[in-house]
Amino acid sequence: MLGASPEVLTSSAASPVVAQLLGGVAGTLEEGVNAQAAAAAAAAGAPAAPAHIDVPVTDVVPLAEADPRGTGLTAAMFPLVLGGMLGGIAISLGVIGAIRRVYAVLLYAVVGGAVLAGILQGWFGSLQGDYWANAAAIGLALAAIAAPITGFVALIGRAGIAVGPVVMLLIANPMSAAAMPKEFLPAPWGDVGQWFPPGAAATLVRELSYFPAADTGFPWLVLGTWALGGVLLSVLGHFRTAGGAEPDAEAALADEPEPRIAADAR
């Protein structure tokens, strides 16, 4: 902000990287303003040098005192992605039956969202704002990552487990812009990353914590779409398994209604 009293406005909550860059700009601006003032005074024949002009830096939306550099908020995104992947893989391997896996993912998301939000907000102090909103966002992010894994496992078998590491970790996570603004990534990959769960989760958690007036409809929609897509894949896999298309007789048996199982036993 320029004028009689120049000032640099930053928002470390939006991006510590940008805030640090703007802090350096303030020093350069201060040198330039004072050099211009001295030159103008010399041209006017002033007997004394003008008073030094300070260019203050004001952080309009600072990070939490417990996480002044934002490292906790940034570092939390990788465990969230990894937690969603591991949850989806563990459920795929440990729970038999596509529909049962859907219920397991739902339970995992609810419990995981409450626990992670409690740790990040109540213990580390990295999150701000409403606890339940943060828990809902984290829980939906876990479901958005885990549900597609269990869905593809239900549809194509154990090979579907590879969906998590390939899509979420190798493709989506580098484009998530969790550590820097999406504008810093090569175009158009910063915007593309917001269509995947890691990017949408990073944006949603940051905005719920520090920018409650921001429009969060898009990240909620992205996470919900991925979670619902995983559920639909599981439903398709359920009918496929029940129809005998999958050579996993145990999974087919688990997905059938109890009366039919009893009838088959007779």
Side-chain angles (χ1 to χ4, degrees), residues 8-108:
V8 174
L9 303 178
T10 66
S11 174
S12 58
S15 173
V17 176
V18 174
Q20 185 175 7
L21 291 175
L22 290 176
V25 169
T28 304
L29 180 61
E30 184 174 305
E31 292 178 1
V33 168
N34 283 284
Q36 289 181 358
H52 182 80
I53 301 174
D54 293 323
V55 178
V57 178
T58 303
D59 195 344
V60 293
V61 186
L63 287 158
E65 294 183 2
D67 187 22
R69 297 183 180 276
T71 53
L73 184 61
T74 301
M77 291 302 105
F78 183 74
L80 191 153
V81 174
L82 191 62
M85 284 175 41
L86 293 179
I89 293 172
I91 291 171
S92 298
L93 296 176
V95 178
I96 299 173
I99 302 303
R100 292 182 181 180
R101 292 186 188 122
V102 171
Y103 293 132
V105 168
L106 178 60
L107 178 62
Y108 177 74

Side-chain angles (χ1 to χ4, degrees), residues 24 32 152 170 174 188 191 245:
F152 274 107
L170 299 182
D191 292 321

Side-chain angles (χ1 to χ4, degrees), residues 72-199:
L73 184 61
T74 301
M77 291 302 105
F78 183 74
L80 191 153
V81 174
L82 191 62
M85 284 175 41
L86 293 179
I89 293 172
I91 291 171
S92 298
L93 296 176
V95 178
I96 299 173
I99 302 303
R100 292 182 181 180
R101 292 186 188 122
V102 171
Y103 293 132
V105 168
L106 178 60
L107 178 62
Y108 177 74
V110 172
V111 175
V115 172
L116 284 178
I119 294 174
L120 293 173
Q121 186 163 352
W123 187 1
F124 293 157
S126 300
L127 300 184
Q128 305 295 303
D130 183 71
Y131 163 79
W132 293 110
N134 292 329
I138 294 173
L140 186 58
L142 292 174
I145 296 171
I149 297 174
T150 58
F152 274 107
V153 169
L155 194 63
I156 64 176
R158 295 285 174 87
I161 291 177
V163 170
V166 173
V167 175
M168 302 299 176
L169 193 60
L170 299 182
I171 297 177
N173 196 57
M175 300 186 297
S176 65
M180 65 182 68
K182 61 185 179 67
E183 290 79 10
F184 280 27
L185 297 175
W189 301 114
D191 292 321
V192 172
Q194 298 303 302
W195 289 84
F196 289 87

Side-chain angles (χ1 to χ4, degrees), residues 140-141 144 200 218-231:
L140 186 58
F218 181 72
W220 280 114
L221 179 62
V222 170
L223 295 177
T225 300
W226 278 87
L228 180 60
V231 171

